[in-house]
Amino acid sequence: DTGVSQNPRHKITKRGQNVTFRCDPISEHNRLYWYRQTLGQGPEFLTYFQNEAQLEKSRLLSDRFSAERPKGSFSTLEIQRTEQGDSAMYLCASSHETSGTRGYTFGSGTRLTVV
Amino acid sequence: AQSVTQLDSQVPVFEEAPVELRCNYSSSVSVYLFWYVQYPNQGLQLLLKYLSGSTLVESINGFEAEFNKSQTSFHLRKPSVHISDTAEYFCAVRSTGTASKLTFGTGTRLQVTL
């Protein structure tokens, strides 16, 4: 068990460009979550998947954001036409529906800087 | 919907002194409560949790938290802190129902100095 893996660790992009992040959850976990954390704030929920189904999306997830989990394993989060306000740490976490009360396992995050 | 309030954004403390990090929550349904710790440039690690039963829960590294339903609080305490405890601490809640998303507070920066 290598934990939750996120790539890349850091991403610097110019405003208006598209970016994509990847998250590989713990293999036996069927739930996967995306959170966004800005400086001085706690993580804010963006969306979550159970297997390949996207079950909930936050209002924070504007139409420029899209997340997928095509085979119920890894997930990608894409941001189109990035804006400076998108600069944040993007955290992925996973859990199993039968053990969610143990809390999630978080990855180390992808830090996005939009210049 | 739930919300979490961590009133102290920063708590400076000397090594070996006791510390309390405050957490209050608001929810119209029953909740589970969690404390997470975040070291610089890392993800969040689960420190401890309250699910049910004893209202006092402990972690393996000396932290404890007490669930107080009447005061809707889940304060984190440690009787003697170490330099290595310097980190950001987040309190979080989730409903006991099928929804699984966590709602976090804004965090408290614990700064331990000699």
Side-chain angles (χ1 to χ4, degrees):
Chain A
D1 179 4
T2 56
V4 177
S5 176
Q6 291 189 248
N7 289 288
R9 289 296 306 276
H10 303 275
K11 178 72 176 178
I12 300 174
T13 190
K14 291 183 178 179
R15 188 175 54 184
Q17 297 295 305
N18 299 344
V19 293
T20 300
F21 311 139
R22 177 177 169 128
C23 172
D24 288 88
I26 291 173
S27 57
E28 60 266 29
H29 286 180
N30 65 342
R31 285 184 171 175
L32 186 148
Y33 312 83
W34 285 100
Y35 282 78
R36 181 176 70 185
Q37 184 179 18
T38 53
L39 201 61
Q41 299 296 316
E44 297 171 295
F45 172 78
L46 292 177
T47 188
Y48 97 92
F49 294 83
Q50 180 159 312
N51 301 312
E52 65 275 10
Q54 188 173 20
L55 297 187
E56 186 174 351
K57 290 166 55 173
S58 162
R59 290 172 297 174
L60 293 174
L61 214 65
S62 76
D63 56 5
R64 296 185 298 106
F65 288 70
S66 62
E68 295 182 345
R69 195 182 183 199
K71 297 182 179 179
S73 56
F74 73 91
S75 175
T76 57
L77 178 68
E78 181 183 16
I79 308 175
Q80 296 182 329
R81 305 181 302 281
T82 52
E83 301 172 356
Q84 287 190 321
D86 297 331
S87 295
M89 175 78 86
Y90 290 84
L91 295 166
C92 175
S94 69
S95 71
H96 194 280
E97 62 182 296
T98 62
S99 62
T101 54
R102 298 178 196 169
Y104 306 164
T105 300
F106 279 88
S108 297
T110 294
R111 182 169 296 282
L112 173 67
T113 302
V114 181
V115 297
Chain B
Q2 294 94 40
S3 66
V4 177
T5 301
Q6 292 182 250
L7 287 173
D8 305 307
S9 59
Q10 293 187 60
V11 173
V13 63
F14 291 112
E15 192 175 38
E16 297 184 1
V19 69
E20 178 180 84
L21 307 183
R22 296 180 293 169
C23 171
N24 288 88
Y25 70 93
S26 173
S27 177
S28 57
V29 298
S30 298
V31 295
Y32 299 130
L33 294 152
F34 303 85
W35 276 99
Y36 282 83
V37 59
Q38 187 177 34
Y39 298 100
N41 298 314
Q42 294 188 26
L44 283 78
Q45 300 173 28
L46 180 64
L47 189 60
L48 47 74
K49 62 188 177 186
Y50 170 78
L51 305 179
S52 64
S54 172
T55 56
L56 184 65
V57 291
E58 299 177 352
S59 72
I60 58 174
N61 55 355
F63 283 95
E64 64 180 30
E66 185 160 20
F67 170 56
N68 187 318
K69 188 174 182 179
S70 62
Q71 297 185 6
T72 60
S73 67
F74 190 55
H75 301 331
L76 181 69
R77 302 183 184 96
K78 189 170 185 179
S80 176
V81 295
H82 300 127
I83 291 283
S84 59
D85 293 324
T86 295
E88 191 87 20
Y89 291 80
F90 293 95
C91 182
V93 301
R94 58 158 281 198
S95 74
T96 59
T98 55
S100 64
K101 91 182 168 190
L102 285 171
T103 300
F104 287 87
T106 52
T108 297
R109 169 76 177 167
L110 176 62
Q111 182 69 51
V112 182
T113 56
L114 294 172

Short mmCIF file of all heavy atoms in Angstrom, two decimals, chain A residues 45-46 57-62:
data_model
loop_
_atom_site.label_atom_id
_atom_site.label_comp_id
_atom_site.label_asym_id
_atom_site.label_seq_id
_atom_site.Cartn_x
_atom_site.Cartn_y
_atom_site.Cartn_z
N PHE A 45 -14.46 21.09 -0.03
CA PHE A 45 -14.90 19.97 -0.85
C PHE A 45 -15.22 20.42 -2.26
O PHE A 45 -15.89 21.45 -2.48
CB PHE A 45 -16.15 19.35 -0.20
CG PHE A 45 -16.82 18.31 -1.03
CD1 PHE A 45 -16.31 17.02 -1.11
CD2 PHE A 45 -17.98 18.61 -1.74
CE1 PHE A 45 -16.96 16.06 -1.87
CE2 PHE A 45 -18.62 17.66 -2.50
CZ PHE A 45 -18.10 16.38 -2.56
N LEU A 46 -14.74 19.65 -3.24
CA LEU A 46 -15.07 19.92 -4.64
C LEU A 46 -16.02 18.86 -5.20
O LEU A 46 -17.06 19.19 -5.75
CB LEU A 46 -13.79 19.95 -5.49
CG LEU A 46 -12.83 21.11 -5.23
CD1 LEU A 46 -11.59 20.96 -6.11
CD2 LEU A 46 -13.51 22.44 -5.46
N LYS A 57 -21.13 17.12 -6.39
CA LYS A 57 -20.28 18.21 -6.87
C LYS A 57 -20.61 19.46 -6.09
O LYS A 57 -21.79 19.79 -5.91
CB LYS A 57 -20.51 18.46 -8.37
CG LYS A 57 -19.98 17.38 -9.27
CD LYS A 57 -20.49 17.48 -10.69
CE LYS A 57 -20.24 18.80 -11.34
NZ LYS A 57 -20.61 18.80 -12.76
N SER A 58 -19.58 20.16 -5.66
CA SER A 58 -19.77 21.41 -4.93
C SER A 58 -20.08 22.54 -5.91
O SER A 58 -19.74 22.49 -7.08
CB SER A 58 -18.50 21.72 -4.15
OG SER A 58 -18.47 23.08 -3.76
N ARG A 59 -20.72 23.58 -5.36
CA ARG A 59 -20.94 24.78 -6.18
C ARG A 59 -19.62 25.43 -6.56
O ARG A 59 -19.55 26.23 -7.49
CB ARG A 59 -21.78 25.78 -5.40
CG ARG A 59 -23.22 25.35 -5.20
CD ARG A 59 -23.93 26.30 -4.26
NE ARG A 59 -23.32 26.27 -2.94
CZ ARG A 59 -23.66 27.08 -1.95
NH1 ARG A 59 -24.58 27.99 -2.13
NH2 ARG A 59 -23.06 26.98 -0.78
N LEU A 60 -18.55 25.09 -5.81
CA LEU A 60 -17.23 25.63 -6.13
C LEU A 60 -16.73 25.10 -7.47
O LEU A 60 -15.85 25.70 -8.11
CB LEU A 60 -16.22 25.23 -5.04
CG LEU A 60 -16.42 25.84 -3.66
CD1 LEU A 60 -15.41 25.23 -2.68
CD2 LEU A 60 -16.27 27.35 -3.71
N LEU A 61 -17.26 23.97 -7.88
CA LEU A 61 -16.79 23.34 -9.12
C LEU A 61 -17.50 24.00 -10.30
O LEU A 61 -18.55 23.53 -10.75
CB LEU A 61 -17.10 21.84 -9.06
CG LEU A 61 -16.09 20.91 -9.75
CD1 LEU A 61 -14.75 20.96 -9.06
CD2 LEU A 61 -16.62 19.49 -9.77
N SER A 62 -16.91 25.10 -10.78
CA SER A 62 -17.52 25.82 -11.89
C SER A 62 -17.42 25.00 -13.16
O SER A 62 -16.80 23.93 -13.20
CB SER A 62 -16.80 27.16 -12.07
OG SER A 62 -15.55 26.96 -12.69
#
